[in-house]
Amino acid sequence: MRVKIAFLFFCLVAAAHAQSSIHTQAGTRIWNIHAGKMSYVIGVDEENVLQSLYWGPTIEDSYQWPTPHSQPERASFDLPINTTPLEYAGWGAGLFTEPALKVTSASGDRSMVLHFESADIEDKRLHIVLRDVHSIRVHLYYEPYPEGILGRSSRIENSGATPVQVEQASSATWSLPSGRKYEVSWLTGQWGAEWQLHREAMQPGVRVLESRRGSTSHQANPWFAIGQIDETTEHSGPVWFGELAWSGSWRMTIEETSLHLLRVTGGYNPFDFTYTLLPGKTLETPVFYGGYTADGQGEASRILHRFQLGKILPHHPSPAPRPIVYNSWEATEFGVNEKGQTALADKAAKLGVERFVVDDGWFGERNSDKAGLGDWTVNPKKFPHGLKPLIDHVHSLGMSFGLWVEPEMVNPDSNLYRQHPEWVMQFPGRQGTLARNQLVLNLARDDVKEFTFRWLDKLLRENDIAFLKWDYNRNWSEPGWEDEATESGLEHDGQKAIYVRYVQNLYEILARLKANHPELEIESCSGGGGRTDLGILRYTDEVWPSDNTDALDRLRIQEGFTHAYAPQTMAAWVTDVPNFLDRRSIPLQFRFFSAMQGALGIGGDLNRWSDEDLDSAKQLIAFYKTIRPIVANGNLYRLESPSDDDTKPVEYVTSGQTEAVVFAYLHAQHYGMTYGNVRLYGLSPTAMYRIEQFGTGMNRTAASVPGQILMTQGLPISLRGEFDSTAFRIVRVP
Ligand code: DGJ
């Protein structure tokens, strides 16, 4: 009998769904949600409690799920509430695992026991309502996407007559199948060293990933991927993964309970958090997206990439590949002026650059990071005739124009601060803590929100600006405000609602700017990659992953980045050597091939580039333009280096398997070995492919090779010495 059940299960799993749908099992309170090749099943048990039943490969709707039962207690110390995979648990009634929700009611009752109330499917979204006796309703939303992603969020509603304090509010808890040995991957970092990938076997206990900093942070990114030990590799095996769409303080708790149940709970960071819910009010949580694949870590990333392009980015479902940007920050820092920028624009245009961006220093008394932030009028000494002459000149060269802004910050030495000292985040009677000589404006206040929107909107109306580099160069230190008499309603939600209101207002400003200026493109930058998440990416077209532009460090940074985010969103510049951070000198071609992994830009001082370098750069940019659509929209494969080198080759393949591009890098040759064969992925085994190798001063086409050979024997690559690099364009022969 056991064998039969196992066989039936296999058949049901094997038939994969390519679309998304929600199926209510007839006569039951069980829902089978399909997203691409993934199914997610929940059901209400005989105690009227919502349980997680399944998260994995597709299960056909023909399978009749039995009514779920709560699990038996484990002695008197672990009641069924701890042994049963609850879908969304309130803290109370003896729950000792991570709760999704913790609320204190006006009476002082601090427990929350949620029972099923109703369910309906509205506009391709499953909406489930749970309810506690104290008239707290929790609305759970499930929105499946054909890319293989399920979006989950919650809305906490106070339907009682007295206010309650929400102390912990998660978007979702994800439960993984029990009885397996898991390893978890996550990303951490710091300024200049973001996107460091970690992988570790799960043991009973909790791994907390979080930011308490008010924004997404360099410290950790709201992404996780969980594979199975000894089964999951880059190219095969099961992976359960997720990403939280929130640009404020967040937390993910990856917990293997002492009873070996693995759950991931994520949402608002409960640290220093309380949200007062008045009667009739609600609190919405961010969307926590999750996915599953049977095809390894690489495919988990590709699912996320396709989903971001198809459903998240402002110009989804087909955002155009990013233009090639020139930015002089590393060359001039604050010393921008009309003459210097015009000269650089002339040089950039000759290379084939498509967008010219003026960075920090164009406004107010902004000659260093000590003053001027907040005074968003053009500095008349640097740009005596305003920005228009430069913008017109940039346009006459065939490039679009972009501008740096940092709207959420203020220097105390600024007119804005002198006029509105009450607009910064602060605690009454306490001196604000400076970072980079700046304070954070309290965007949670509606007056600050309106001011910020208005000056940005005016700037965009008065100037032909195609792109804003939106920077954010510090974290929070005193997350409060002096006077509660604002019109924002914060006095009702409580001071700590700042963690929610600030980010909501930031999103509102971005949405209104996008509505008024539909062609506007924005980069999310936070001293590098400190604000990269699916929340901000709904409004921003790209991110700046790191201020570290050393081409070698960048390979590791970019590899980590692609685990969670699409190459198209990854801005990458070629800058000068020796690099400002590591003092390393890397040849120009290597720097270009490193930056070509994402949205290529140039960030060096072109006045110092030799004619030879300028000529090489021109060739490399022309090559990039031929492969850019493959990088931007193709499927990314992180390949294995055949040598012991610390760099990894990468491959991008178009969805029709007609074209691919491969980049390979050598940090240092050892023992006279010349690299070796790199095994490719994602090609059609039966098709023939022409191999075109590209390098500066070199353009070689080899005989055609079957895809099968490239994917088994591999592509032979010879790299020598130090910092050697190469690129291949691989074209299917008709
Ligand atoms: C930090 C950014 O990451 C840099 O690229 C540059 O824009 C500076 N801020 C400007 O202050």
Side-chain angles (χ1 to χ4, degrees):
M1 183 58 187
R2 279 204 135 185
V3 176
K4 263 194 190 159
I5 289 172
F7 178 72
L8 177 67
F9 188 80
F10 174 78
C11 295
L12 296 168
V13 167
H17 275 245
Q19 288 302 315
S20 63
S21 61
I22 302 164
H23 172 78
T24 311
Q25 186 171 299
T28 70
R29 297 182 297 177
I30 293 172
W31 297 270
N32 189 351
I33 307 168
H34 305 288
K37 295 180 182 173
M38 169 181 90
S39 288
Y40 186 86
V41 185
I42 51 176
V44 180
D45 66 21
E46 73 282 345
E47 310 286 336
N48 209 25
V49 170
L50 187 65
Q51 284 191 26
S52 312
L53 300 183
Y54 178 87
W55 183 21
T58 300
I59 296 286
E60 291 297 312
D61 292 335
S62 51
Y63 175 62
Q64 290 296 304
W65 287 87
T67 302
H69 302 290
S70 61
Q71 298 297 311
E73 65 180 31
R74 169 83 184 154
S76 54
F77 294 96
D78 274 309
L79 303 176
I81 199 167
N82 298 303
T83 57
T84 306
L86 302 189
E87 179 67 357
Y88 193 93
W91 180 77
L95 181 84
F96 300 115
T97 56
E98 182 69 14
L101 183 66
K102 185 171 184 315
V103 176
T104 297
S105 71
S107 69
D109 180 349
R110 305 200 307 279
S111 65
M112 178 77 4
V113 182
L114 297 167
H115 286 102
F116 176 81
E117 186 175 75
S118 66
D120 63 312
I121 298 168
E122 38 181 59
D123 198 20
K124 295 191 185 154
R125 200 165 72 143
L126 174 63
H127 173 197
I128 296 219
V129 185
L130 309 179
R131 192 181 168 170
D132 175 72
V133 286
H134 282 316
S135 301
I136 290 295
R137 286 196 166 81
V138 177
H139 302 256
L140 301 179
Y141 297 98
Y142 299 82
E143 186 162 5
Y145 297 90
E147 287 85 353
I149 295 286
L150 173 63
R152 293 180 54 192
S153 63
S154 66
R155 187 161 61 87
I156 323 301
E157 178 192 353
N158 181 0
S159 41
T162 49
V164 299
Q165 308 288 326
V166 180
E167 287 149 9
Q168 182 163 344
S170 305
S171 308
T173 293
W174 300 89
S175 294
L176 278 78
S178 60
R180 308 199 195 182
K181 297 246 175 285
Y182 289 110
E183 61 181 7
V184 58
S185 303
W186 72 102
L187 291 160
T188 68
Q190 53 181 291
W191 176 85
E194 300 89 334
W195 311 106
Q196 307 296 315
L197 182 73
H198 307 273
R199 194 160 283 159
E200 191 180 85
M202 273 311 285
Q203 300 283 350
V206 180
R207 172 159 290 288
V208 174
L209 310 179
E210 67 170 349
S211 163
R212 300 177 174 191
R213 295 167 182 256
S215 66
T216 328
S217 91
H218 302 74
Q219 174 193 330
N221 193 265
W223 167 88
F224 74 89
I226 297 174
Q228 235 176 280
I229 291 177
D230 298 333
E231 245 186 79
T232 303
T233 69
E234 176 69 15
H235 303 292
S236 63
V239 185
W240 295 259
F241 55 95
E243 213 156 64
L244 188 69
W246 185 242
S247 312
S249 290
W250 58 273
R251 191 172 87 170
M252 279 183 195
T253 305
I254 305 172
E255 176 180 31
E256 183 175 327
T257 68
S258 51
L259 306 175
H260 304 293
L261 297 172
L262 191 69
R263 315 176 194 208
V264 183
T265 300
Y268 294 129
N269 195 325
F271 178 80
D272 190 40
F273 182 84
T274 305
Y275 196 102
T276 306
L277 265 190
L278 295 182
K281 295 282 184 190
T282 61
L283 170 64
E284 276 184 42
T285 65
V287 183
F288 196 169
Y289 294 100
Y292 167 84
T293 178
D295 299 322
Q297 302 281 359
E299 183 60 12
S301 303
R302 289 186 289 276
I303 290 172
L304 283 171
H305 300 169
R306 289 192 283 263
F307 174 65
Q308 289 157 16
L309 265 54
K311 296 291 182 313
I312 296 286
L313 290 175
H315 297 281
H316 70 263
S318 33
R322 310 300 304 139
I324 300 168
V325 158
Y326 177 80
N327 180 304
S328 72
W329 170 248
E330 282 196 23
T332 62
E333 294 208 339
F334 299 94
V336 291
N337 58 47
E338 187 179 319
K339 193 163 163 246
Q341 295 290 295
T342 304
L344 286 167
D346 289 338
K347 291 208 156 84
K350 285 197 188 119
L351 298 182
V353 166
E354 297 157 328
R355 173 168 288 168
F356 187 83
V357 180
V358 174
D359 210 279
D360 199 349
W362 59 270
F363 53 90
E365 290 302 313
R366 185 74 169 164
N367 299 312
S368 72
D369 61 20
K370 293 197 172 58
L373 207 49
D375 298 339
W376 299 103
T377 48
V378 180
N379 181 307
K381 287 194 211 92
K382 296 179 179 176
F383 297 91
H385 316 286
L387 291 173
K388 190 165 186 324
L390 176 63
I391 296 179
D392 288 348
H393 186 68
V394 164
H395 288 160
S396 75
L397 294 167
M399 298 185 289
S400 62
F401 183 81
L403 195 63
W404 180 96
V405 290
E406 192 176 5
E408 300 151 80
M409 301 286 167
V410 66
N411 284 126
D413 186 1
S414 67
N415 293 332
L416 182 67
Y417 184 77
R418 283 183 278 273
Q419 280 159 19
H420 287 291
E422 77 284 7
W423 278 7
V424 298
M425 279 187 190
Q426 56 194 303
F427 289 137
R430 184 176 291 278
Q431 191 72 28
T433 307
L434 288 173
R436 208 194 190 210
N437 303 303
Q438 62 198 54
L439 295 166
V440 189
L441 285 173
N442 188 351
L443 217 60
R445 295 172 60 122
D446 281 350
D447 47 5
V448 176
K449 176 185 74 179
E450 280 310 312
F451 165 80
T452 307
F453 167 73
R454 289 219 180 96
W455 77 255
L456 281 162
D457 188 53
K458 183 165 178 281
L459 177 78
L460 294 168
R461 276 183 204 286
E462 292 175 355
N463 299 282
D464 193 349
I465 295 172
F467 171 79
L468 290 179
K469 174 176 172 179
W470 187 300
D471 211 342
Y472 180 87
N473 279 301
R474 61 161 295 175
N475 294 133
W476 297 6
S477 47
E478 288 80 27
W481 59 95
E482 205 165 52
D483 57 330
E484 295 203 7
T486 68
E487 287 161 20
S488 62
L490 283 165
E491 68 273 27
H492 302 306
D493 304 338
Q495 284 246 350
K496 292 177 183 172
I498 195 168
Y499 288 104
V500 177
R501 286 295 186 101
Y502 182 102
V503 182
Q504 285 173 344
N505 282 355
L506 169 67
Y507 290 162
E508 185 190 317
I509 294 169
L510 289 164
R512 284 163 69 189
L513 288 175
K514 286 265 178 182
N516 283 4
H517 311 275
E519 300 304 315
L520 175 71
E521 296 185 332
I522 305 178
E523 175 181 275
S524 173
C525 171
S526 173
R531 191 154 65 188
T532 307
D533 58 82
L534 293 188
I536 205 79
L537 278 169
R538 292 194 184 112
Y539 307 98
T540 61
D541 304 79
E542 61 182 50
V543 295
W544 178 233
S546 180
D547 275 352
N548 186 338
T549 53
D550 174 82
L552 182 66
D553 283 356
R554 265 286 176 146
L555 292 182
R556 174 100 34 93
I557 286 171
Q558 291 174 179
E559 183 194 332
F561 182 94
T562 63
H563 273 271
Y565 300 99
Q568 166 154 182
T569 66
M570 184 172 78
W573 302 343
V574 174
T575 56
D576 292 334
V577 289
N579 184 269
F580 83 98
L581 202 58
D582 288 340
R583 309 307 302 160
R584 203 170 3 240
S585 288
I586 293 180
L588 190 72
Q589 176 176 290
F590 190 110
R591 281 180 272 152
F592 262 94
F593 286 160
S594 169
M596 282 188 203
Q597 288 190 356
L600 174 70
I602 311 290
D605 184 355
L606 295 179
N607 296 317
R608 289 174 39 216
W609 287 26
S610 66
D611 287 348
E612 196 191 329
D613 277 356
L614 290 170
D615 191 50
S616 300
K618 202 169 164 184
Q619 288 180 41
L620 286 154
I621 287 174
F623 169 70
Y624 177 70
K625 286 179 182 170
T626 68
I627 52 113
R628 173 169 48 183
I630 314 173
V631 172
N633 300 319
N635 288 312
L636 168 71
Y637 294 86
R638 295 179 290 255
L639 307 177
E640 283 78 47
S641 166
S643 72
D644 290 338
D645 203 57
D646 56 357
T647 63
K648 273 194 192 159
V650 289
E651 178 194 14
Y652 304 77
V653 186
T654 57
S655 54
Q657 300 174 311
T658 51
E659 274 189 88
V661 59
V662 173
F663 296 109
Y665 315 85
L666 180 75
H667 181 182
Q669 188 179 14
H670 293 285
Y671 315 113
M673 311 287 269
T674 64
Y675 206 65
N677 283 20
V678 172
R679 196 173 154 196
L680 303 190
Y681 289 82
L683 302 173
S684 160
T686 51
M688 295 292 287
Y689 289 92
R690 190 177 69 239
I691 317 283
E692 299 167 4
Q693 189 176 8
F694 184 85
T696 46
M698 186 254 278
N699 219 333
R700 200 183 291 150
T701 301
S704 299
V705 186
Q708 188 68 280
I709 294 215
L710 292 169
M711 293 194 292
T712 49
Q713 275 178 237
L715 176 68
I717 296 183
S718 166
L719 296 172
R720 311 209 69 140
E722 288 188 336
F723 296 117
D724 199 2
S725 60
T726 189
F728 297 88
R729 188 159 163 255
I730 297 172
V731 184
R732 187 170 173 160
V733 183

